[in-house]
Amino acid sequence: MSVTSHSNCSHTSHFILSSIPGLEDFNFWMGFPLISMYIIAILGNTSMLYIIKVDQELHQPMYIFLSMLSMIDLLIATTTMPKMLGIFWMDDREIAFNICLTQIFFIHFLSALESGILLAMAVDRFVAICHPLRYSSILTSQKLCKMFAMILVRGALGLIPFPLLIKRLPLWKSNRLTHSYCLHQEVMNLACGDIRVNIIYGLFIILSIMGIDSLFISFSYMLIIKMVLGLVEEASMKAFSTCASHICAVLVYYIPLIGLSVVHRFKSNTMPNLHILFGNVYLLLPPVINPLIYGIKTKQIRHRLKKLYGKIIHRGKNSRNI
C-alpha cells in the first residue's frame, strides 16, 4: 500500500483474507473438514440436478425450483470454498482488489437468488396445498420461466451497485479482512471515506429483497397452516410433511443471514469473532445441508438417490471382479 497525504489512510491494490483468528496453527487440519464439505456440496447438488433432469416424473414445479436451488448452491460453494482452501493449505491470503469486488457481487447476487427461489418454493407449496385442483394451471412452465427471470433481474439490478459503491472509495484504513472471503459489509468498514451511502443502500437491499421474501414466505405458511388445520389429522400431517424440507432450507438460509447482518451492525466486545462464525455458517452450510435435507425428506428423490448410488457401487464391484 502506498501512503498518501491522508493520515493513516492509503491506496490499496489488494486485500488480505484471514482464516479463523486464534486457530492459525490448525489451518492445515481445518482444510480437511472444508474440502469434505466442498465435496459433499458438489456431489449432493450435482446428484440432485442429474436426478431431476433424467427423471420425467420430477419435471414438476417443486423439483424445477429445487434444481435451481442446487445450481445456486453449487455456484456459491465454488465462489468461496476453493479460495478458502488456498488460505488454509497454501497460506494464499492475498486477493486482488477487482477480484474482491467480483466476489462481493457474486456472493450477494447468488444469496439474493437463493432467497428468491425459497420464496418461489413457498408459493409452490401454498398452491399445492391450498389450491391442489388448480396447481397445474397456475404454475405453468411459462409462469415458472417468468418467475425465475424476475428473480434473476431483481438480483442483478439490486446487487450491481455493491462493487461500484466500494470502487468509488479511494482510501483505506487497512486492507486486512477478518473473513476468508469478501463481503460488502466488512470491506466498506475499512474505507476512510464517507460510507453512509453504502450503509443505507446495503440496508435497503437487505430489507427490499431478503426482508420482503421472508415476509411473503411467512405469510404463505400462515395461509398453509390455516388450511391444514381445517383438514382431518391424517390429511393435515401428510400435507404439512410435504413442507418439511422447504422449512428446513428456509431456516438454514435465514437464521445465519439475520445473525450475520445483526453482528456486523452491532459488534460485541465479549464475542469479537461472532461475525466470522455467522459468516462461515451463512455461506458454507446451505450448499452442504440442502441436498441432504431434500435427499432424506423427499421420498421420490431418496428412492432415486438409492438407485443411482446403488448402480455406481454395483459397477464398482463388477470392475474389481474383472
Side-chain angles (χ1 to χ4, degrees), residues 187-249:
V187 174
M188 72 178 183
N189 286 324
L190 297 180
C192 289
D194 187 354
I195 61 169
R196 280 178 294 182
V197 174
N198 298 69
I199 294 171
I200 293 169
Y201 189 74
L203 187 60
F204 168 75
I205 289 296
I206 285 287
L207 294 176
S208 64
I209 295 182
M210 287 73 167
I212 289 176
D213 287 352
S214 61
L215 190 65
F216 278 108
I217 290 171
S218 301
F219 183 64
S220 297
Y221 273 102
M222 286 173 60
L223 295 176
I224 289 171
I225 291 170
K226 182 180 177 181
M227 179 69 182
V228 165
L229 290 177
L231 301 174
V232 296
E233 185 176 350
E234 184 178 349
S236 65
M237 290 299 294
K238 184 178 179 181
F240 205 71
S241 67
T242 64
C243 302
S245 301
H246 180 251
I247 292 171
C248 291

Side-chain angles (χ1 to χ4, degrees), residues 40-41 44-45 48 70 73 286-296 305:
I40 292 170
N45 288 291
M48 289 287 179
S70 294
D73 282 339
V288 176
I289 294 295
N290 283 341
L292 298 178
I293 291 172
Y294 281 95
I296 293 169
L305 279 173

Side-chain angles (χ1 to χ4, degrees), residues 47-48 51 295 301-310:
S47 298
M48 289 287 179
I51 288 168
I301 292 177
R302 186 168 66 248
H303 289 166
R304 283 155 182 80
L305 279 173
K306 288 179 180 178
K307 288 182 180 179
L308 175 63
Y309 287 104

Side-chain angles (χ1 to χ4, degrees), residues 99-116:
I99 299 297
C100 184
L101 296 186
T102 303
Q103 193 180 57
I104 285 174
F105 170 74
F106 278 106
I107 286 175
H108 292 287
F109 170 63
L110 293 170
S111 180
L113 290 189
E114 184 149 356
S115 177

Side-chain angles (χ1 to χ4, degrees), residues 54-293:
V54 300
D55 195 327
Q56 293 293 326
E57 292 182 10
L58 299 182
H59 291 184
Q60 302 172 30
M62 174 183 172
Y63 300 106
I64 292 171
F65 288 134
L66 179 55
S67 67
M68 293 176 185
L69 186 67
S70 294
M71 179 60 72
I72 293 166
D73 282 339
L74 270 175
L75 293 173
I76 289 175
T78 304
T79 300
T80 54
M81 290 191 187
K83 183 61 181 178
M84 292 177 72
L85 283 170
I87 295 170
F88 287 117
W89 278 351
M90 294 175 284
D91 201 31
D92 180 18
R93 299 171 182 271
E94 188 174 304
I95 184 170
F97 186 87
N98 288 330
I99 299 297
C100 184
L101 296 186
T102 303
Q103 193 180 57
I104 285 174
F105 170 74
F106 278 106
I107 286 175
H108 292 287
F109 170 63
L110 293 170
S111 180
L113 290 189
E114 184 149 356
S115 177
I117 295 299
L118 289 173
L119 172 58
M121 295 172 83
V123 172
D124 170 80
R125 291 299 83 206
F126 165 73
V127 175
I129 292 173
C130 298
H131 303 284
L133 298 178
R134 298 172 56 200
Y135 181 78
S136 57
S137 62
I138 293 174
L139 294 177
T140 62
S141 57
Q142 187 177 12
K143 288 179 181 176
L144 294 183
C145 291
K146 287 181 179 179
M147 287 173 69
F148 185 66
M150 289 174 61
I151 292 168
L152 199 65
V153 170
R154 181 191 69 167
L157 293 179
L159 277 305
I160 283 175
F162 267 17
L164 299 178
L165 289 172
I166 295 294
K167 187 86 171 176
R168 73 184 178 86
L169 300 168
L171 301 175
W172 305 86
K173 293 174 283 191
S174 171
N175 67 343
R176 292 188 174 274
L177 302 171
T178 57
H179 286 295
S180 305
Y181 47 84
C182 296
L183 276 179
H184 175 259
Q185 299 99 305
E186 184 176 26
V187 174
M188 72 178 183
N189 286 324
L190 297 180
C192 289
D194 187 354
I195 61 169
R196 280 178 294 182
V197 174
N198 298 69
I199 294 171
I200 293 169
Y201 189 74
L203 187 60
F204 168 75
I205 289 296
I206 285 287
L207 294 176
S208 64
I209 295 182
M210 287 73 167
I212 289 176
D213 287 352
S214 61
L215 190 65
F216 278 108
I217 290 171
S218 301
F219 183 64
S220 297
Y221 273 102
M222 286 173 60
L223 295 176
I224 289 171
I225 291 170
K226 182 180 177 181
M227 179 69 182
V228 165
L229 290 177
L231 301 174
V232 296
E233 185 176 350
E234 184 178 349
S236 65
M237 290 299 294
K238 184 178 179 181
F240 205 71
S241 67
T242 64
C243 302
S245 301
H246 180 251
I247 292 171
C248 291
V250 168
L251 295 176
V252 166
Y253 174 82
Y254 277 103
I255 290 176
L257 172 64
I258 294 168
L260 181 63
S261 300
V262 169
V263 297
H264 263 293
R265 285 167 174 78
F266 307 100
K267 289 187 177 179
S268 170
N269 293 326
T270 56
M271 300 183 70
N273 295 328
L274 189 61
H275 67 291
I276 299 173
L277 173 64
F278 273 107
N280 288 335
V281 170
Y282 163 60
L283 278 186
L284 303 182
L285 198 62
V288 176
I289 294 295
N290 283 341
L292 298 178
I293 291 172

